[in-house]
mmCIF file with all atom_site columns, all heavy atoms in Angstrom:
data_model
loop_
_atom_site.group_PDB
_atom_site.id
_atom_site.type_symbol
_atom_site.label_atom_id
_atom_site.label_alt_id
_atom_site.label_comp_id
_atom_site.label_asym_id
_atom_site.label_entity_id
_atom_site.label_seq_id
_atom_site.pdbx_PDB_ins_code
_atom_site.Cartn_x
_atom_site.Cartn_y
_atom_site.Cartn_z
_atom_site.occupancy
_atom_site.B_iso_or_equiv
_atom_site.pdbx_formal_charge
_atom_site.auth_seq_id
_atom_site.auth_comp_id
_atom_site.auth_asym_id
_atom_site.auth_atom_id
_atom_site.pdbx_PDB_model_num
ATOM 1  N N   . GLN R 1 59 ? -0.285 3.491   9.054  1.00 93.00 ? 59 GLN R N   1
ATOM 2  C CA  . GLN R 1 59 ? -1.029 2.550   8.185  1.00 93.00 ? 59 GLN R CA  1
ATOM 3  C C   . GLN R 1 59 ? -0.313 1.247   7.938  1.00 93.00 ? 59 GLN R C   1
ATOM 4  O O   . GLN R 1 59 ? -0.680 0.476   7.065  1.00 93.00 ? 59 GLN R O   1
ATOM 5  C CB  . GLN R 1 59 ? -1.271 3.271   6.855  1.00 93.00 ? 59 GLN R CB  1
ATOM 6  C CG  . GLN R 1 59 ? -2.046 4.546   7.004  1.00 93.00 ? 59 GLN R CG  1
ATOM 7  C CD  . GLN R 1 59 ? -1.997 5.320   5.743  1.00 93.00 ? 59 GLN R CD  1
ATOM 8  O OE1 . GLN R 1 59 ? -1.361 5.063   4.758  1.00 93.00 ? 59 GLN R OE1 1
ATOM 9  N NE2 . GLN R 1 59 ? -2.747 6.474   5.760  1.00 93.00 ? 59 GLN R NE2 1
ATOM 10 N N   . LEU R 1 60 ? 0.776  0.962   8.758  1.00 94.00 ? 60 LEU R N   1
ATOM 11 C CA  . LEU R 1 60 ? 1.595  -0.231  8.512  1.00 94.00 ? 60 LEU R CA  1
ATOM 12 C C   . LEU R 1 60 ? 1.782  -0.993  9.815  1.00 94.00 ? 60 LEU R C   1
ATOM 13 O O   . LEU R 1 60 ? 1.636  -0.421  10.909 1.00 94.00 ? 60 LEU R O   1
ATOM 14 C CB  . LEU R 1 60 ? 2.959  0.171   7.904  1.00 94.00 ? 60 LEU R CB  1
ATOM 15 C CG  . LEU R 1 60 ? 2.941  0.891   6.610  1.00 94.00 ? 60 LEU R CG  1
ATOM 16 C CD1 . LEU R 1 60 ? 4.327  1.480   6.377  1.00 94.00 ? 60 LEU R CD1 1
ATOM 17 C CD2 . LEU R 1 60 ? 2.527  0.028   5.495  1.00 94.00 ? 60 LEU R CD2 1
ATOM 18 N N   . HIS R 1 61 ? 2.191  -2.262  9.661  1.00 94.00 ? 61 HIS R N   1
ATOM 19 C CA  . HIS R 1 61 ? 2.528  -3.039  10.838 1.00 94.00 ? 61 HIS R CA  1
ATOM 20 C C   . HIS R 1 61 ? 3.619  -4.022  10.424 1.00 94.00 ? 61 HIS R C   1
ATOM 21 O O   . HIS R 1 61 ? 3.824  -4.329  9.236  1.00 94.00 ? 61 HIS R O   1
ATOM 22 C CB  . HIS R 1 61 ? 1.380  -3.798  11.490 1.00 94.00 ? 61 HIS R CB  1
ATOM 23 C CG  . HIS R 1 61 ? 0.736  -4.785  10.606 1.00 94.00 ? 61 HIS R CG  1
ATOM 24 N ND1 . HIS R 1 61 ? -0.194 -4.519  9.638  1.00 94.00 ? 61 HIS R ND1 1
ATOM 25 C CD2 . HIS R 1 61 ? 1.016  -6.187  10.553 1.00 94.00 ? 61 HIS R CD2 1
ATOM 26 C CE1 . HIS R 1 61 ? -0.566 -5.669  9.057  1.00 94.00 ? 61 HIS R CE1 1
ATOM 27 N NE2 . HIS R 1 61 ? 0.141  -6.638  9.511  1.00 94.00 ? 61 HIS R NE2 1
ATOM 28 N N   . LEU R 1 62 ? 4.344  -4.565  11.438 1.00 94.00 ? 62 LEU R N   1
ATOM 29 C CA  . LEU R 1 62 ? 5.361  -5.575  11.159 1.00 94.00 ? 62 LEU R CA  1
ATOM 30 C C   . LEU R 1 62 ? 4.778  -6.979  11.419 1.00 94.00 ? 62 LEU R C   1
ATOM 31 O O   . LEU R 1 62 ? 3.973  -7.158  12.251 1.00 94.00 ? 62 LEU R O   1
ATOM 32 C CB  . LEU R 1 62 ? 6.558  -5.427  12.134 1.00 94.00 ? 62 LEU R CB  1
ATOM 33 C CG  . LEU R 1 62 ? 7.502  -4.185  11.803 1.00 94.00 ? 62 LEU R CG  1
ATOM 34 C CD1 . LEU R 1 62 ? 8.498  -4.075  12.947 1.00 94.00 ? 62 LEU R CD1 1
ATOM 35 C CD2 . LEU R 1 62 ? 8.165  -4.424  10.528 1.00 94.00 ? 62 LEU R CD2 1
ATOM 36 N N   . ALA R 1 63 ? 5.295  -7.914  10.604 1.00 94.00 ? 63 ALA R N   1
ATOM 37 C CA  . ALA R 1 63 ? 4.843  -9.312  10.789 1.00 94.00 ? 63 ALA R CA  1
ATOM 38 C C   . ALA R 1 63 ? 6.108  -10.193 10.546 1.00 94.00 ? 63 ALA R C   1
ATOM 39 O O   . ALA R 1 63 ? 7.096  -9.770  9.957  1.00 94.00 ? 63 ALA R O   1
ATOM 40 C CB  . ALA R 1 63 ? 3.750  -9.633  9.850  1.00 94.00 ? 63 ALA R CB  1
ATOM 41 N N   . GLN R 1 64 ? 5.974  -11.426 11.062 1.00 93.00 ? 64 GLN R N   1
ATOM 42 C CA  . GLN R 1 64 ? 7.075  -12.398 10.774 1.00 93.00 ? 64 GLN R CA  1
ATOM 43 C C   . GLN R 1 64 ? 6.433  -13.701 10.355 1.00 93.00 ? 64 GLN R C   1
ATOM 44 O O   . GLN R 1 64 ? 5.259  -13.992 10.723 1.00 93.00 ? 64 GLN R O   1
ATOM 45 C CB  . GLN R 1 64 ? 7.988  -12.525 11.953 1.00 93.00 ? 64 GLN R CB  1
ATOM 46 C CG  . GLN R 1 64 ? 7.326  -12.952 13.269 1.00 93.00 ? 64 GLN R CG  1
ATOM 47 C CD  . GLN R 1 64 ? 8.328  -12.943 14.397 1.00 93.00 ? 64 GLN R CD  1
ATOM 48 O OE1 . GLN R 1 64 ? 9.553  -12.998 14.198 1.00 93.00 ? 64 GLN R OE1 1
ATOM 49 N NE2 . GLN R 1 64 ? 7.869  -12.722 15.626 1.00 93.00 ? 64 GLN R NE2 1
ATOM 50 N N   . ARG R 1 65 ? 7.159  -14.461 9.572  1.00 89.00 ? 65 ARG R N   1
ATOM 51 C CA  . ARG R 1 65 ? 6.717  -15.783 9.144  1.00 89.00 ? 65 ARG R CA  1
ATOM 52 C C   . ARG R 1 65 ? 6.777  -16.812 10.221 1.00 89.00 ? 65 ARG R C   1
ATOM 53 O O   . ARG R 1 65 ? 7.803  -16.895 10.922 1.00 89.00 ? 65 ARG R O   1
ATOM 54 C CB  . ARG R 1 65 ? 7.467  -16.252 7.903  1.00 89.00 ? 65 ARG R CB  1
ATOM 55 C CG  . ARG R 1 65 ? 7.143  -15.425 6.696  1.00 89.00 ? 65 ARG R CG  1
ATOM 56 C CD  . ARG R 1 65 ? 7.415  -16.199 5.439  1.00 89.00 ? 65 ARG R CD  1
ATOM 57 N NE  . ARG R 1 65 ? 7.174  -15.383 4.248  1.00 89.00 ? 65 ARG R NE  1
ATOM 58 C CZ  . ARG R 1 65 ? 5.939  -15.170 3.742  1.00 89.00 ? 65 ARG R CZ  1
ATOM 59 N NH1 . ARG R 1 65 ? 4.918  -15.688 4.279  1.00 89.00 ? 65 ARG R NH1 1
ATOM 60 N NH2 . ARG R 1 65 ? 5.863  -14.392 2.646  1.00 89.00 ? 65 ARG R NH2 1
ATOM 61 N N   . VAL R 1 66 ? 5.726  -17.571 10.481 1.00 86.00 ? 66 VAL R N   1
ATOM 62 C CA  . VAL R 1 66 ? 5.670  -18.621 11.461 1.00 86.00 ? 66 VAL R CA  1
ATOM 63 C C   . VAL R 1 66 ? 5.193  -19.899 10.811 1.00 86.00 ? 66 VAL R C   1
ATOM 64 O O   . VAL R 1 66 ? 4.239  -19.896 10.045 1.00 86.00 ? 66 VAL R O   1
ATOM 65 C CB  . VAL R 1 66 ? 4.725  -18.212 12.623 1.00 86.00 ? 66 VAL R CB  1
ATOM 66 C CG1 . VAL R 1 66 ? 4.577  -19.315 13.635 1.00 86.00 ? 66 VAL R CG1 1
ATOM 67 C CG2 . VAL R 1 66 ? 5.175  -16.909 13.288 1.00 86.00 ? 66 VAL R CG2 1
ATOM 68 N N   . GLN R 1 67 ? 5.861  -20.957 11.109 1.00 83.00 ? 67 GLN R N   1
ATOM 69 C CA  . GLN R 1 67 ? 5.483  -22.286 10.555 1.00 83.00 ? 67 GLN R CA  1
ATOM 70 C C   . GLN R 1 67 ? 4.160  -22.741 11.105 1.00 83.00 ? 67 GLN R C   1
ATOM 71 O O   . GLN R 1 67 ? 3.930  -22.680 12.329 1.00 83.00 ? 67 GLN R O   1
ATOM 72 C CB  . GLN R 1 67 ? 6.583  -23.329 10.956 1.00 83.00 ? 67 GLN R CB  1
ATOM 73 C CG  . GLN R 1 67 ? 6.354  -24.708 10.350 1.00 83.00 ? 67 GLN R CG  1
ATOM 74 C CD  . GLN R 1 67 ? 7.055  -24.843 9.006  1.00 83.00 ? 67 GLN R CD  1
ATOM 75 O OE1 . GLN R 1 67 ? 8.003  -24.134 8.727  1.00 83.00 ? 67 GLN R OE1 1
ATOM 76 N NE2 . GLN R 1 67 ? 6.580  -25.732 8.193  1.00 83.00 ? 67 GLN R NE2 1
ATOM 77 N N   . VAL R 1 68 ? 3.253  -23.159 10.286 1.00 82.00 ? 68 VAL R N   1
ATOM 78 C CA  . VAL R 1 68 ? 1.959  -23.732 10.683 1.00 82.00 ? 68 VAL R CA  1
ATOM 79 C C   . VAL R 1 68 ? 2.211  -25.135 11.231 1.00 82.00 ? 68 VAL R C   1
ATOM 80 O O   . VAL R 1 68 ? 2.849  -25.929 10.542 1.00 82.00 ? 68 VAL R O   1
ATOM 81 C CB  . VAL R 1 68 ? 0.945  -23.702 9.530  1.00 82.00 ? 68 VAL R CB  1
ATOM 82 C CG1 . VAL R 1 68 ? -0.362 -24.354 9.961  1.00 82.00 ? 68 VAL R CG1 1
ATOM 83 C CG2 . VAL R 1 68 ? 0.754  -22.316 8.996  1.00 82.00 ? 68 VAL R CG2 1
ATOM 84 N N   . GLN R 1 69 ? 1.671  -25.426 12.440 1.00 83.00 ? 69 GLN R N   1
ATOM 85 C CA  . GLN R 1 69 ? 1.905  -26.719 13.028 1.00 83.00 ? 69 GLN R CA  1
ATOM 86 C C   . GLN R 1 69 ? 1.322  -27.808 12.161 1.00 83.00 ? 69 GLN R C   1
ATOM 87 O O   . GLN R 1 69 ? 0.253  -27.698 11.600 1.00 83.00 ? 69 GLN R O   1
ATOM 88 C CB  . GLN R 1 69 ? 1.186  -26.807 14.425 1.00 83.00 ? 69 GLN R CB  1
ATOM 89 C CG  . GLN R 1 69 ? 1.946  -26.094 15.483 1.00 83.00 ? 69 GLN R CG  1
ATOM 90 C CD  . GLN R 1 69 ? 1.257  -26.299 16.851 1.00 83.00 ? 69 GLN R CD  1
ATOM 91 O OE1 . GLN R 1 69 ? 0.165  -26.652 16.944 1.00 83.00 ? 69 GLN R OE1 1
ATOM 92 N NE2 . GLN R 1 69 ? 2.058  -26.042 17.882 1.00 83.00 ? 69 GLN R NE2 1
ATOM 93 N N   . GLY R 1 70 ? 2.141  -28.882 11.981 1.00 82.00 ? 70 GLY R N   1
ATOM 94 C CA  . GLY R 1 70 ? 1.731  -30.086 11.215 1.00 82.00 ? 70 GLY R CA  1
ATOM 95 C C   . GLY R 1 70 ? 1.700  -29.789 9.680  1.00 82.00 ? 70 GLY R C   1
ATOM 96 O O   . GLY R 1 70 ? 1.018  -30.503 8.975  1.00 82.00 ? 70 GLY R O   1
#
Side-chain angles (χ1 to χ4, degrees):
Q59 300 167 356
L60 300 168
H61 66 275
L62 285 173
Q64 56 187 337
R65 291 206 181 277
V66 176
Q67 184 90 25
V68 176
Q69 284 185 340

